[in-house]
Structure formats: structure tokens, C-alpha cells
């Protein structure tokens, strides 16, 4: 059967979905304590279908020349209250500062000098002998003067020197985080082109088998995960865990259709096996392997295991090989050292894509 029409349709699907990827990548490229972005770089709210997730990476207010709206902007005419915070509100329980009074300034009539009142209360509460008059406590005795035949008091012994602080160079090596860079929010033709090529090659390799629908549905999300990991070095749970479950369910449906080229039980076992290997690597070296990679390995193991254990091993090994070559290349160019953190998700996804192509061609 001629697969050219299928491949062309897959390329069009990849280009169309690839145009939607930069918007979602911008929203998900945040720090771990944040969920996602809800505004463009100039502060305008992101609106559109699916609560603003679907759409091109463009902002209509920015295109119309609307001014930026920073989220923490304070009106210039708002009165600045004493003790108020930057947002114009005073913390709960805080009181406004009282005006300062000079030491020699008399206490105004009708007011209470709080320090003097406290001193008087403390003196009256001190116990005294029966029949004795309440007097102020005597001053503490000072040092006795040195008389004839008496020498000066010996000097106090010097305090022992504090131990030297540990040298920072002795600390264990930790991956050095690269400087943060702004996440772009614009249309990206290369992203759409890459997604189109990925879908085209998957269609050519798989042909009209039912699992092709699963590959085409997962391809835009794989490109999205690679972009987010490249931007902020993290793989969000909003994508990794649902992708693993969706891949297992969709491949289960493909196994029920006639003409499939894989094994659903092997796919499930492959996801558990590859996820277990990555989890073991995470336990051995948490600084070198992120837990997001472990969760991504679940979905990649399901996809690669569909075509058997050989394809699973090939795709996993290709990911490690590509990541190693990239890291060594950066060190040879003196653009990184052995402590520099690099995003491993794009190499895992690329290796799985190569293994999937080989497995699909072998099953044809």
C-alpha cells in the first residue's frame, strides 16, 4: 500500500500542532514552585480555547500596542501609610510608628511615660527587709583599687581560636545551574518544522497500522516536553504522568484493532522496566539524574516496549549515547565542565524516536 498520502497527512498534522507548541511551552517553562504562566511577558492575560492553552504564541493586546501591565503595579496616587508594605497594606497586628520624642522633652500632660512607669513598678515589686525603707538598689561594687603590695588583676586567658571553616572546594560537586534566560513567546517555524518531520518519518515507518495514531498523538507532546526541559531544566508532572497513562491506554486500544504490529503486555512491562532503571540511577546519583527523567522514562518505555525488548534497549541506549556526546562536546569546546547541568529529556526523547523508527520498520 502506498503510504505517501498517509505521510503527507501526518506532516500536515505535525506542522499544525507544532504551531501550537510554543504557547504551551512558554506557559509551562516556570520554576518548580509555580504551576504555569497565565500572562504574556508584558503582563497581558493569556486567553483563548482550553483556558488559554490552545493558540498561537502571540498576544493581541501587545500587537495592538497596549501598554504593559505588571502584576504588582501600585497606583501612583495611593497614600503611603507608615509601616505599609509594598502592596499598600499593613501586615496583620502591625501598628503605625509613633513620632520620636527627644530625651529632654517633657512628657505631655495626660500621657504616661512608659519607661519611667516600668522602672517604678519594678522597684516597688522588689522584696525588702521588715521595717526597712524602700530605697533604690545599691550600685554593684566595682573592682577594688590596688593597694600597697597588691598587684594588678591578672589578665583573662585568651579565648581559643575558632576552628577554621571548611573550604568550599572540599564540598561535594553539585551540578552548576546555568544562568536563567528569558523564555521566548513567539511563533517558531523551526518547532513546527521539526514536529512535521517527526510525524512524517513516523508515518513512513509505521504505515497504515493502528499504532500510528498513537505515535502522531504523542509526537507534539514529546516536542513540548523537550522544549520545556531545554528552557528551564525540568519536566512538568502535568505532562509526564498523563502521557504515560495515555500511551498505555491508547496502545491497548490499538492492540484490539486488526493489523497491529506490537505487543501491549510487553509495552506495559517495558514502561515499568525503563522507569525502574531510571529510578535506580536517580537513587545512586540524585544530582546527575532528575526525578522528572524517571517519570518520562515510564512513557518512553511503554512506547519502545510495544515493538519488543530489543527496540526498548536500542532507544534507551541511544538516549544515553546522544547525551554523553553532547556533554563531551561542550567540555571540549570549554563551554561546560563536569558539574554543568544539561537537560537530559531532549536526548531521551530523541533516542526513543530513533528506536521507534527502527522498530516500526522492522515490524513492516
Amino acid at each position: 500500500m502506498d503510504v505517501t498520502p498517509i505521510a503527507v497527512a501526518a506532516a500536515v498534522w505535525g506542522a499544525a500542532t507544532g504551531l501550537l507548541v510554543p504557547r504551551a511551552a512558554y506557559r509551562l517553562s516556570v520554576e518548580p514552585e509555580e504551576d504555569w504562566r497565565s500572562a504574556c511577558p508584558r503582563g497581558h492575560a493569556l486567553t483563548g480555547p482550553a483556558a488559554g492553552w490552545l493558540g498561537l504564541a502571540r498576544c493581541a493586546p501587545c500587537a495592538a500596542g497596549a501598554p504593559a501591565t505588571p502584576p504588582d503595579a501600585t497606583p501612583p496616587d495611593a497614600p503611603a501609610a507608615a509601616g505599609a508594605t509594598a502592596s499598600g497594606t499593613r501586615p496583620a497586628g502591625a501598628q503605625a510608628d509613633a513620632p520620636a520624642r527627644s530625651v529632654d522633652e517633657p512628657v505631655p500632660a495626660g500621657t504616661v511615660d512608659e519607661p519611667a512607669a516600668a522602672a517604678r513598678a519594678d522597684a516597688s515589686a522588689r522584696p525588702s527587709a521588715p521595717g526597712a525603707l524602700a530605697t533604690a538598689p545599691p550600685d554593684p561594687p566595682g573592682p577594688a583599687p590596688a593597694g600597697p603590695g597588691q598587684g594588678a588583676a591578672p589578665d583573662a586567658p585568651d579565648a581559643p581560636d575558632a576552628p577554621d571553616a571548611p573550604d568550599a572546594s572540599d564540598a561535594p560537586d553539585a551540578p552548576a545551574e546555568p544562568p536563567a534566560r528569558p523564555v521566548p513567546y513567539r511563533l517558531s517555524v523551526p518547532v513546527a518544522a521539526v514536529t512535521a518531520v517527526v510525524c512524517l518519518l513516523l508515518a513512513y515507518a509505521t504505515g497504515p497500522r493502528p499504532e500510528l495514531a498513537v505515535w502522531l498523538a504523542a509526537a507534539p507532546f514529546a516536542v513540548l516536553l523537550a522544549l520545556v526541559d531545554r528552557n528551564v531544566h525540568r519536566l512538568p508532572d502535568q505532562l509526564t504522568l498523563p502521557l504515560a497513562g495515555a500511551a498505555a491506554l491508547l496502545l491497548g486500544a490499538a492492540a484490539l484493532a486488526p493489523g497491529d504490529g506490537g505487543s501491549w503486555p510487553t509495552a506495559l512491562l517495558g514502561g515499568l522496566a525503563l522507569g525502574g532503571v531510571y529510578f535506580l540511577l536517580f537513587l545512586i546519583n540524585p544530582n546527575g539524574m532528575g526525578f522528572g527523567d524517571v517519570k518520562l522514562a515510564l512513557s518512553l518505555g511503554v512506547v519502545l516496549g510495544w515493538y519488543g525488548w530489543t527496540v526498548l534497549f536500542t532507544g534507551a541506549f541511544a538516549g544515553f549515547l546522544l547525551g554523553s556526546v553532547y556533554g563531551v562536546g561542550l567540555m571540549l569546546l570549554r563551554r561546560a565542565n563536569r558539574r554543568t547541568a544539561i537537560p537530559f529529556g531532549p536526548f531521551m526523547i530523541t533516542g526513543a524516536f530513533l528506536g521507534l523508527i527502527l522498530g516500526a520498520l522492522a515490524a513492516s
Side-chain angles (χ1 to χ4, degrees):
M1 178 181 178
D2 188 11
V3 299
T4 301
I6 299 176
V8 171
V12 173
W13 160 262
T17 55
L19 291 174
L20 306 178
V21 166
R23 183 186 183 100
Y26 168 78
R27 298 196 63 178
L28 289 172
S29 297
V30 295
E31 297 302 321
E33 60 271 9
E34 302 179 52
D35 291 331
W36 53 72
R37 286 187 174 93
S38 58
C40 76
R42 292 178 60 84
H44 304 131
L46 296 176
T47 60
W53 286 97
L54 295 180
L56 302 178
R58 60 183 301 272
C59 178
C62 291
T69 56
D72 296 333
T74 303
D77 55 349
T85 61
S87 60
T89 59
R90 183 178 293 113
Q95 298 179 355
D97 296 335
R101 181 169 55 85
S102 173
V103 176
D104 299 330
E105 180 181 352
V107 179
T111 61
V112 178
D113 192 350
E114 294 181 0
R120 289 194 297 270
D122 180 72
S124 62
R126 186 178 294 110
S128 58
L133 297 177
T135 59
D139 295 332
Q150 293 181 353
D155 296 337
D158 295 337
D161 295 337
D164 295 336
D167 191 0
S169 60
D170 298 336
D173 293 340
E177 292 293 337
R181 58 180 179 181
V183 179
Y185 183 65
R186 60 177 181 270
L187 290 175
S188 178
V189 175
V191 172
V194 168
T195 312
V197 171
V198 167
C199 293
L200 175 69
L201 295 178
L202 287 173
Y204 262 117
T206 308
R209 293 196 297 269
E211 63 263 25
L212 175 61
V214 184
W215 309 153
L216 296 182
F221 292 98
V223 176
L224 174 58
L225 280 169
L227 277 180
V228 173
D229 197 14
R230 174 182 175 271
N231 289 337
V232 292
H233 289 201
R234 61 182 295 262
L235 295 165
D237 293 342
Q238 296 93 331
L239 292 179
T240 53
L241 297 178
L243 185 60
L249 291 177
L250 292 177
L251 285 178
L256 299 177
D260 67 286
S263 170
W264 189 56
T266 308
L268 298 181
L269 293 176
L272 295 177
L274 191 60
V277 169
Y278 271 82
F279 182 68
L280 180 62
L281 294 176
F282 171 76
L283 294 179
I284 295 174
N285 185 16
N287 291 330
M289 179 69 64
F291 199 67
D293 299 330
V294 178
K295 289 174 281 190
L296 176 62
L298 292 173
S299 55
L300 297 183
V302 170
V303 169
L304 291 171
W306 173 259
Y307 288 125
W309 295 105
T310 302
V311 174
L312 174 64
F313 175 79
T314 302
F317 178 76
F320 281 106
L321 181 62
L322 292 173
S324 301
V325 171
Y326 177 77
V328 172
L330 288 181
M331 288 191 291
L332 292 178
L333 295 175
R334 299 185 181 276
R335 296 176 56 186
N337 54 43
R338 62 187 181 88
R339 295 187 300 168
T340 303
I342 62 173
F344 194 53
F347 303 105
M348 295 174 61
I349 293 171
T350 304
F353 169 72
L354 296 178
L356 195 62
I357 292 292
L358 295 177
L361 291 174
S364 298

